[in-house]
Amino acid sequence: MRAILIAAALLTGAAPAALATAAVAQAAQTAAPVRSPQFERDRQSILAQAGEFRVHFDMRENVSFSADYDPLEEQLSGGTEIVRLVYDNGDRISLQHILVMEHGGQSVVVKHWRQDWAYQPQTVLTYVGDNSWRTTPVPAAERQGAWSQTVWQTDDSPRYGGVGRWTYENGLSAWTSGPTWRPLARRDAVRNPIYDRYLGVNRHILKHDGWVHIQDNMKLSGKGGGEPVAIVQEDVINSYDASTAFSPKAGDDYWAATKSYWAAVRDAWDAVIARDGGVRVAEEAETGSITAPPLMKLADQVQAGELTTEAAVAQARVLIEATAR
């Protein structure tokens, strides 16, 4: 295109300054695609999930579809959590959750889950069963105006990914995914239940004092092979209420000390996934992915000054490469 502009200018006797202006304008148009007003509104809705929160977790199994299974009683828990921006690249946004608790007068910090958002993604990393995730193409019609959300575990290994759109109806700013496969959460895995996976629809909705994550989960069993069979339906409501009643300092100190290490860990996972078109990571009921305890320990050693970031990253890369096969 630039060559065409130059040729046209020469034919019409355009001045060099006019030629340069036209070329720059064309280059700017190519480099910066026009985004719709909703695109920026969507971005701000995602970024609004960062902050300090009192979190309430409410999990309820409601309807059994198996004569051999009785729904669990309601499970309630909670805590305090900070959500920090990892990066904002315009159409790519990442948010890191970190639990910040008090116990016996001491701060207890646990790196929690991470959510990555991508606008109009060509692929999304999806759970396919048997502790495996695959990079899945997103059809053009499905990705138009949509955002993918990929959720990662405490050690930045994958958990689930889905695609949906932000809507702004009835006074709500809400993102709703399509049906999304997920492995068992630890709260279920430790019970060795008859189901072994979830098929869930996720909604993130902003509210006046924070946001809420609502899950409609069907718990299924695929242990016998063939098509998974529905066992029980579950509702999960995780409310993030903005709070100034706790100090985020311990969590921010942890993140400042370890974020370079975790950036390298993310890169290592991404490299394996890009190379293999996905990844398989063995899991244990008590800890989730088997890579979680050693990768988390390395971060603790970095923060304590027992390991340099470079040394910890080298060990993490070896561990991920050896495990994620």
Side-chain angles (χ1 to χ4, degrees), residues 140-216:
E142 185 178 339
R143 68 175 177 261
Q144 184 65 35
W147 292 79
S148 65
Q149 184 208 42
T150 306
V151 169
W152 308 83
Q153 306 199 73
T154 58
D155 64 343
D156 288 322
S157 62
R159 177 146 178 77
Y160 62 86
V163 178
R165 289 177 174 80
W166 284 91
T167 59
Y168 304 95
E169 300 169 352
N170 307 119
L172 296 178
S173 298
W175 178 85
T176 304
S177 77
T180 300
W181 289 105
R182 284 177 292 174
L184 293 185
R186 186 174 62 178
R187 69 177 189 275
D188 285 330
V190 294
R191 299 186 300 104
N192 191 28
I194 61 174
Y195 48 77
D196 65 345
R197 67 197 69 188
Y198 310 140
L199 183 62
V201 173
N202 297 287
R203 301 179 71 197
H204 285 235
I205 307 176
L206 303 187
K207 55 196 189 80
H208 68 281
D209 60 348
W211 56 282
V212 62
H213 178 198
I214 301 173
Q215 305 171 39
D216 178 0

Side-chain angles (χ1 to χ4, degrees), residues 131-132 134 269 272 275-276 279-282 318 320-325:
N131 300 324
S132 298
R134 289 289 175 265
W269 284 117
V272 169
R275 181 193 67 200
D276 299 337
V279 68
R280 187 180 190 279
V281 186
V318 170
I320 291 170
E321 186 66 30
T323 305
R325 293 187 181 277

Side-chain angles (χ1 to χ4, degrees), residues 57-72:
F57 304 107
D58 184 342
M59 294 149 281
R60 309 182 186 205
E61 289 187 350
N62 298 308
V63 182
S64 174
F65 297 96
S66 170
D68 300 324
Y69 186 84
D70 293 325
L72 293 174

Side-chain angles (χ1 to χ4, degrees), residues 90-284:
D91 58 0
R92 299 288 187 275
I93 299 172
S94 179
L95 300 172
Q96 177 65 57
H97 293 238
I98 301 173
L99 290 165
V100 183
M101 310 289 287
E102 293 289 333
H103 181 72
Q106 299 293 320
S107 294
V108 178
V109 175
V110 179
K111 179 176 174 289
H112 208 191
W113 60 293
R114 185 179 102 241
Q115 48 173 319
D116 288 354
W117 296 82
Y119 184 62
Q120 299 188 159
Q122 295 193 11
T123 62
V124 64
L125 189 66
T126 59
Y127 184 65
V128 294
D130 190 30
N131 300 324
S132 298
W133 291 258
R134 289 289 175 265
T135 302
T136 305
V138 181
E142 185 178 339
R143 68 175 177 261
Q144 184 65 35
W147 292 79
S148 65
Q149 184 208 42
T150 306
V151 169
W152 308 83
Q153 306 199 73
T154 58
D155 64 343
D156 288 322
S157 62
R159 177 146 178 77
Y160 62 86
V163 178
R165 289 177 174 80
W166 284 91
T167 59
Y168 304 95
E169 300 169 352
N170 307 119
L172 296 178
S173 298
W175 178 85
T176 304
S177 77
T180 300
W181 289 105
R182 284 177 292 174
L184 293 185
R186 186 174 62 178
R187 69 177 189 275
D188 285 330
V190 294
R191 299 186 300 104
N192 191 28
I194 61 174
Y195 48 77
D196 65 345
R197 67 197 69 188
Y198 310 140
L199 183 62
V201 173
N202 297 287
R203 301 179 71 197
H204 285 235
I205 307 176
L206 303 187
K207 55 196 189 80
H208 68 281
D209 60 348
W211 56 282
V212 62
H213 178 198
I214 301 173
Q215 305 171 39
D216 178 0
N217 296 328
M218 188 67 73
K219 298 182 176 182
L220 303 102
S221 175
K223 295 180 179 180
E227 183 179 7
V229 176
I231 304 297
V232 66
Q233 185 274 342
E234 174 193 57
D235 288 330
V236 177
I237 301 177
N238 298 333
S239 299
Y240 291 77
D241 302 328
S243 175
T244 58
F246 72 101
S247 172
K249 184 178 186 305
D252 285 327
D253 289 347
Y254 170 86
W255 190 238
T258 64
K259 63 182 179 181
S260 294
Y261 163 78
W262 285 116
V265 169
R266 293 194 303 272
D267 289 344
W269 284 117
D270 289 347
V272 169
I273 292 166
R275 181 193 67 200
D276 299 337
V279 68
R280 187 180 190 279
V281 186
E283 296 206 350
E284 296 176 346

